[in-house]
Amino acid sequence: MPLTLRALLELPDLGLRLLAGEPGLDRPLPWAHVSELADPTPFLEGGELLLSTGLALPPGARERRSYLDRLATAGAAGLAFGTGLSHQQVPAELVKAARARDFPLLEVPRATPFIAVTKAVSRSLAADSHAEATRMSGALQALAGAATGVDGLGAVLRRLARELDAWVVLLDVAGEPLRAAPASARGRVAGAAELLDRLRAARPPAAVTVQADGERVTAQALGAGRRTRAFLLLGSARAWTVAEQHLLGAAASLLALALAQTGGLDSAARRLRAGLFELLAAGQRELVAEVVRPLWGALPAPPLRVLALTGAAPARTAAADLLSAQGMAEPCFFAEVEDRVLVLAASPALLAWCRELPARVPGLTLGVSGPVTEVAEGHRQALAAADAARRHGRVVLEFADLAGSGLLGLLDPRRAAAFAEALLSPLSTHDATGRGDLLTSLRVWLGHHGQWDPAAQQLGVHRHTLRNRMRRVADLLGKDLESPGIRAELWLALHLHRPD
């Protein structure tokens, strides 16, 4: 049990006497510190009992009140004033100031050396530490025993809640409660969605702690390697000791170990899903449907959409776990193939749910195909949309939106700009010498579909001059300007070289 000033006052060997601050006597006492400085507060951490004989205490009443005010403001637990040396009795100004602030003020008689007080505090702290270590050792053994019994997950949670004086909830990767201690703690989950989202793309055993409604609430990811298999959510009205934090870590390890026992099955299921998706893309729908139906429900009927989720490995893993645990009535078939997660969706509800995944998992990008009857075509469209979304800083992109953004929406901006610069470099170098504006002439000529008269008129030159310029362009580029493909290539490069 933590030492308090009240308990210290009750030790008969010390002979301490209370002069003020009775309401503050039950505060836990972490240490006792001796100082004769006029201002010892820079050397206090807060919570200590300060012992002083008043050797450097200023003579003025105001200064003495300020001395005590500084101690109270610094968070000291109290002042133990030794009499019989510098002062025969505790100065009245200190007593008055302490009573005004309900700040504990104790008198230490001349016969009691300060070291006797500090030894008493040290012995009590050592006894508390030993008792805490013994209790935690027993609690660890109890946790290990609980984990091997019937309903090991629930037993570990109940023991942990009892030892930490906390409510505890175990949740799946979608945030749905699996076990709770006490049972009423399931109601605490509603406000934890933001905490869980912060952990989804993190590597276990990542944890987040916040202060909410007068409680310390902690959310911890449980799993092995990079894969989060569940979350542990717990809260208490008090801060946990170092030993209790170690106990929490041990409980999290036990829970993660129990959850990891299904890891082999998970790995096999991932490989099976990937193989089945490849068969679907190869047109083997009937074969795949027979395998999928008893495991994950019926495949969605065409027309359907294919969704491609891309991102870093932790983000993809979090997305796959959420898809696996999503609680919608509609069956959901997805597969982890190479560096993406692919989903088949037909219903608006599942499509809307999947659209929210990038908001829940940082670093995730979603590409959505149009309605298709063939999985292979949907796969191609979804990958194109996801790739364009990544390049252009979008988190969700429909394949249909690519047409609205034009051909350039399909190109990597940096690579496209480099292509245009390299292709048109001979013309740019020529124009820099001031011998003619070949780039502008080429742009206008192509804009008039190679018609000489209207292009020359717009440029304000004779058509023969324009013909000479185009021959010069063909020579410098080594291209046949009569080729439709070359014209299209040059028009694209000019568009990139000077965007309209």
Side-chain angles (χ1 to χ4, degrees), residues 128-342:
D128 286 345
S129 179
H130 178 72
E132 177 78 353
T134 301
R135 184 174 77 86
M136 288 300 105
S137 176
L140 282 171
Q141 294 180 23
L143 278 177
T148 59
V150 179
D151 186 23
L153 294 176
V156 169
L157 259 63
R158 289 189 292 273
R159 171 62 67 172
L160 186 63
R162 187 180 313 132
E163 295 295 340
L164 298 185
D165 189 23
W167 55 265
V168 187
V169 185
L170 180 67
L171 308 101
D172 64 20
V173 290
E176 294 298 321
L178 298 173
R179 303 281 195 285
S184 59
R186 289 175 177 264
R188 307 276 187 162
V189 175
E194 183 179 351
L195 281 181
L196 301 187
D197 285 346
R198 291 166 61 182
L199 292 176
R200 292 196 194 281
R203 186 171 182 171
V208 179
T209 299
V210 297
Q211 196 75 23
D213 299 327
E215 288 186 320
R216 286 171 56 88
V217 178
T218 295
Q220 181 164 348
L222 303 177
R226 295 182 175 182
R227 200 174 196 96
T228 296
R229 299 187 177 278
F231 296 103
L232 187 62
L233 186 69
L234 60 167
S236 175
R238 65 176 180 84
W240 296 311
T241 65
V242 173
E244 288 174 330
Q245 292 174 21
H246 288 317
L247 181 67
L248 171 57
S253 297
L254 286 170
L255 292 170
L257 183 61
L259 292 166
Q261 291 176 354
T262 62
L265 293 175
D266 289 346
S267 178
R270 289 197 300 274
R271 291 194 297 271
L272 178 59
R273 287 180 189 268
L276 290 172
F277 187 89
E278 291 177 359
L279 287 174
L280 278 172
Q284 301 295 321
R285 178 182 174 84
E286 292 184 5
L287 173 62
V288 174
E290 291 299 318
V291 177
V292 168
R293 185 177 294 108
L295 296 174
W296 300 294
L299 290 174
L304 54 81
R305 295 175 186 262
V306 178
L307 287 66
L309 291 155
T310 62
R316 299 196 310 271
T317 297
D321 287 337
L322 284 170
L323 285 162
S324 180
Q326 61 94 16
M328 301 182 64
E330 177 190 6
C332 175
F333 180 76
F334 69 94
E336 297 171 74
V337 180
E338 297 177 355
D339 59 349
R340 53 196 177 271
V341 179
L342 302 165

Side-chain angles (χ1 to χ4, degrees), residues 422-479:
L423 179 59
L424 301 175
S425 176
L427 305 186
S428 300
T429 302
H430 175 277
D431 288 351
T433 64
R435 290 179 293 167
D437 195 348
L438 297 185
L439 283 172
T440 300
S441 299
L442 178 61
R443 181 179 288 109
V444 172
W445 182 69
L446 290 174
H448 285 282
H449 310 291
Q451 297 181 55
W452 300 103
D453 288 338
Q457 184 178 358
Q458 181 178 338
L459 289 168
V461 299
H462 194 275
R463 64 178 179 275
H464 294 314
T465 301
L466 180 58
R467 286 180 184 274
N468 290 333
R469 289 182 181 179
M470 291 304 100
R471 280 195 292 269
R472 184 60 175 158
V473 168
D475 291 342
L476 288 172
L477 298 180
K479 304 284 187 182

Side-chain angles (χ1 to χ4, degrees), residues 7 12 16 64 78 100 114 121 147 187 209 249 300 313 338 350 366 383 404 416-417 430 434-435 458 463 469 492 500:
L16 305 179
R64 291 180 174 183
F114 281 173
V121 173
T209 299
E338 297 177 355
L350 180 57
L366 173 63
L383 291 184
H430 175 277
R435 290 179 293 167
Q458 181 178 338
R463 64 178 179 275
R469 289 182 181 179
L492 176 62
D500 293 333

